[in-house]
DNA sequence: CACTCTGAATGAAACGTTTCACGATCTCCA
DNA sequence: TGGAGATCGTGAAACGTTTCATTCAGAGTG
């Protein structure tokens, strides 16, 4: 097996305690001794056994992060934010991908708990599940990411989806649209429902009747293909809508494609607003207007809250942080101007 | 602190050895005893301490996976494949994202080694680095993902990029193109260089002179924006090329946008081939012809090789697995036909 | 010289498991 | 009735660290 601290001690002619001190409190060891130990370490290729260290120490310096889907740029950016903060504060992040499946989420929670992580950041499949509650009951700090727990017994970080819908609605109304399609994912998802609420609010605020001005199309999947089909169906049915607000950018891209395919001009004949402002949104055939969420900041804030709770368990007070999304206007809703990024093409 | 096996034993009125057996070898324990222990476990909310278990057992059931960029669908799919196989074989996967930075890669290697993972799957920043060599020297099995080590002292799984370039070239030549632009990322990357090699080979095989038929444009970044700019520049310079082969799909999408913007028809005026066949390729304004890599299979194969080596360290023989990519033809190169996916739109 | 003080190193205990040699009890059959 | 198995359970050792009370050797002081 790999050499232990004992082998190192032997080779350096010191006690194991001293080797441990070199590793953890170098300042307590005299220069000469330290050098001797160091060279023994490199000579033997010693690597600390973290199981033993953690067992003895009784506590780890790591936190778990369970996301729904690492392929989703949203969660990817959140993870990046979390890692940044964790790094700064000397914590390690254990990254887990539940893939939206409860059994996977449960398995990861089990693993994290067995590893005695200090805390868990999670976008749970359901805000309250058997295992998750058990984890909290046993005293492991938990922070909800992109979710809120109505029963407010833990910290959470989310984005104001009502506000996002409102931004989009206000923008479209301001451009003169009086007939807006809301191409949504499952309205059972809070995010989708909230955005509709915001949209209606904005429309109402402009003096229009939401029930007349807004047509809701609910789809099960939130990808380009579904959206393309939905938009095609709308066109075929002779929809009079002049604008579409989509639940995410992929759907918006699907709508964009359907529109261009059928000879519609964007934004003149149809204005399109997406959501998430994924990287590619700016590089679409017609750059997409979208709602941007401060994803990295979400991750940073969540990590900070968690570490705060880990470090001061008694004085800690749970917080619900809510970020505001931001409207990014691009060509897909702009009044037609010379394309900004291509002016010097010819 | 959380209850230990000892607390459980006390409460159930048995010895710690018995509790351990219930956990690890239930068949060795009589039904009644097992039930008593189980109920003590749930009553106390006992969760096994994996540090202690691993320390005692001396060996873990986990492997590390270090990828360059989890945002990249390629690596995401690879990871999925790895997880599948690991699951089946009872291993846990520790997922790490080096973000193309050597310090991060090194830090993760350190952590994995301290955790005594059984083996490591890695797409290294450099095929041979200080730390990576050290890891291998100490006897931790290693499998290279999407890389090859010329010195062949470990397993590796990769895709035949020369073959990919060849597929693309043969396809374009067959369609009658005699002037092809290769829009590449840094040619210092083996992948980019290999694809060019394949492209030249296919062109030569068709009796054309590669130097005349192929124009290479090398860009630093491999995204849509760069590609859009590069394509625009080509058009402005009056390029006579009738087709573009791009180093990845994002670049292809950038080229597509530039072409449509300047009134070109795709594929009649310009045929476009991408690489990777990302999910969105099929949903672009003009669906993209692309080269698909068997990403999940790469992950599966890599995990299988690693586990094989972990389980039979002496009999194991290193293997270099090379997958063949596949051409997926879509509209961006097809002779113009009624769009396949939109026939019933009107 | 006797003394305290300081800095450095030691050695044993403890962390929570798993393992394994050993008992204890029961069953079955000669 | 006695002995051989089989079946269950026990208890102590061991895994590789960290921690902390203790020892030791000098240096400084009166």
């Amino acid at each position: 097996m790999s050499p232990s601290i004992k082998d190192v001690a032997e080779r350096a002619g010191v006690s194991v305690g001293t080797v441990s001190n070199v590793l953890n409190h170098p300042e307590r060891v005299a220069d000469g001794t330290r050098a001797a130990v160091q060279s023994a370490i490199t000579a033997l290729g010693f690597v600390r056994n973290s199981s033993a260290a953690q067992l003895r120490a009784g506590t780890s310096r790591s936190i778990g992060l369970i996301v729904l889907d690492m392929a989703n740029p949203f969660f990817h950016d959140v993870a990046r934010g979390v890692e940044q903060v964790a790094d700064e504060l000397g914590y390690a992040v254990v990254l887990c991908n539940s893939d939206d499946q409860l059994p996977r989420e449960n398995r990861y929670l089990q693993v994290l708990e067995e590893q005695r992580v200090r805390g868990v950041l999670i976008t749970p499949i359901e805000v309250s599940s058997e295992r998750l509650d058990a984890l909290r009951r046993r005293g492991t700090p938990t922070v909800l990411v992109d979710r809120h727990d109505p029963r407010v017994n833990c910290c959470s970080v989310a984005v104001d989806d009502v506000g996002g819908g409102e931004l989009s609605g206000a923008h479209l109304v301001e451009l003169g649209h009086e007939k807006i399609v809301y191409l949504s994912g499952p309205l059972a998802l809070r995010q989708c429902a909230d955005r509709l609420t915001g949209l209606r609010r904005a429309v109402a605020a402009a003096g229009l009747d939401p029930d007349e001005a807004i047509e809701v199309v609910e789809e099960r999947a939130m990808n380009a293909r579904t959206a393309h089909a939905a938009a095609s169906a709308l066109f075929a049915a002779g929809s009079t809508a002049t604008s579409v607000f989509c639940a995410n950018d992929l759907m918006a891209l699907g709508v964009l494609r359907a529109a261009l395919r059928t000879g519609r001009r964007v934004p003149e004949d149809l204005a399109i607003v997406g959501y998430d402002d994924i990287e590619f949104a700016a590089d679409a055939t017609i750059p997409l207007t979208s709602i941007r969420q401060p994803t990295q900041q979400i991750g940073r804030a969540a990590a900070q809250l968690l570490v705060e709770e880990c470090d001061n368990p008694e004085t800690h007070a749970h917080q619900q942080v809510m970020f505001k999304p931001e409207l990014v206007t691009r060509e897909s809703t702009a009044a037609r101007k010379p394309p900004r990024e291509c002016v010097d093409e010819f």
Side-chain angles (χ1 to χ4, degrees), chain A:
Chain A
M1 280 312 281
S2 37
S4 77
I5 224 180
K6 203 158 84 188
D7 304 317
V8 175
E10 221 160 87
R11 177 165 182 134
V14 298
S15 73
V16 294
T18 302
V19 177
S20 175
N21 277 334
V22 170
L23 259 29
N24 303 297
H25 310 279
E27 76 285 357
R28 293 190 195 158
V29 178
D31 291 358
T33 328
R34 195 185 326 137
V37 171
Q38 289 287 11
S39 76
I41 286 178
T42 54
L44 293 172
F46 166 81
V47 178
R48 176 214 257 101
N49 181 328
S50 62
S51 293
Q54 184 170 322
L55 171 60
R56 166 63 226 210
T59 168
S60 76
R61 280 300 272 187
S62 60
I63 60 179
L65 169 61
I66 304 185
V67 299
L68 291 181
D69 176 15
M70 270 308 280
N72 187 328
F74 176 84
F75 288 113
H76 184 264
D77 284 349
V78 168
R80 196 179 290 258
V82 170
E83 277 182 336
Q84 284 171 8
V85 171
D87 253 27
E88 290 164 14
L89 302 170
Y91 278 82
V93 178
V94 183
L95 192 56
C96 308
N97 192 354
S98 72
D99 252 330
D100 227 330
Q101 296 163 270
L102 194 56
R104 280 180 64 104
E105 176 179 301
N106 284 337
R107 195 145 34 85
Y108 277 125
L109 282 173
Q110 171 90 25
V111 170
L112 292 176
E113 216 171 342
E114 290 189 354
Q115 288 184 187
R116 298 290 190 270
V117 294
R118 287 286 286 281
V120 174
L121 295 162
I122 183 172
T123 306
I125 299 184
E126 295 151 25
V127 176
S128 157
S129 71
E130 183 76 29
R131 257 228 96 77
L132 199 52
D133 293 345
L135 181 75
R136 288 199 265 251
R137 227 178 298 124
R138 287 187 209 110
T140 307
T142 296
V143 174
L144 296 181
V145 177
D146 198 33
R147 292 284 184 280
H148 266 313
D149 188 342
R151 301 160 317 160
V152 189
N153 60 357
C154 68
C155 287
S156 63
V157 179
V159 186
D160 181 7
D161 282 283
V162 176
E166 225 169 334
L167 277 177
S168 166
H171 177 57
L172 288 174
V173 167
E174 194 192 355
L175 290 173
H177 294 278
E178 302 191 341
K179 191 93 179 92
I180 304 173
V181 169
Y182 173 46
L183 183 48
S184 175
L187 286 166
L189 291 181
R190 186 193 46 75
Q191 339 271 67
C192 290
D194 281 4
R195 289 170 198 175
L196 176 55
T197 305
L199 178 62
R200 292 177 61 92
R201 191 177 294 172
V203 166
L208 298 171
D209 175 2
D211 292 327
E212 261 182 36
I214 300 172
E215 178 178 359
V216 177
V217 177
E218 181 179 3
E219 294 289 334
R220 317 204 67 183
M222 295 171 69
N223 56 40
R225 192 152 321 175
T226 325
H228 181 272
S232 301
L234 274 177
F235 297 158
S239 166
T240 60
T242 58
S243 61
V244 186
F245 171 38
C246 300
N248 71 20
D249 284 342
L250 286 178
M251 296 186 92
L253 291 168
V255 172
L256 175 61
R257 177 173 157 224
L260 297 179
R261 281 285 171 137
T262 56
R264 287 171 171 74
R265 290 167 307 159
V266 175
E268 294 86 342
D269 301 328
L270 190 75
I272 304 176
V273 179
Y275 213 103
D276 287 347
D277 193 31
I278 62 176
E279 205 183 334
F280 188 67
D283 296 313
T285 314
I286 307 285
L288 272 183
T289 290
S290 190
I291 307 290
R292 177 187 296 163
Q293 317 198 54
T295 36
Q296 287 213 21
Q297 288 207 51
I298 295 171
R300 295 186 61 93
Q304 271 152 359
L305 285 176
L306 185 66
V307 171
E308 210 280 324
E309 182 170 357
C310 291
D311 291 348
N312 322 44
E314 330 69 19
T315 71
H316 175 83
H318 292 317
Q319 279 178 60
Q320 328 293 124
V321 175
M322 176 80 95
F323 282 103
K324 292 282 170 211
E326 181 190 352
L327 176 74
V328 183
T329 59
R330 297 204 186 84
E331 232 177 282
S332 73
T333 61
R336 191 74 174 181
K337 288 179 246 164
R340 267 154 302 179
E341 296 174 339
C342 319
V343 265
D344 51 355
E345 259 176 33
F346 279 68

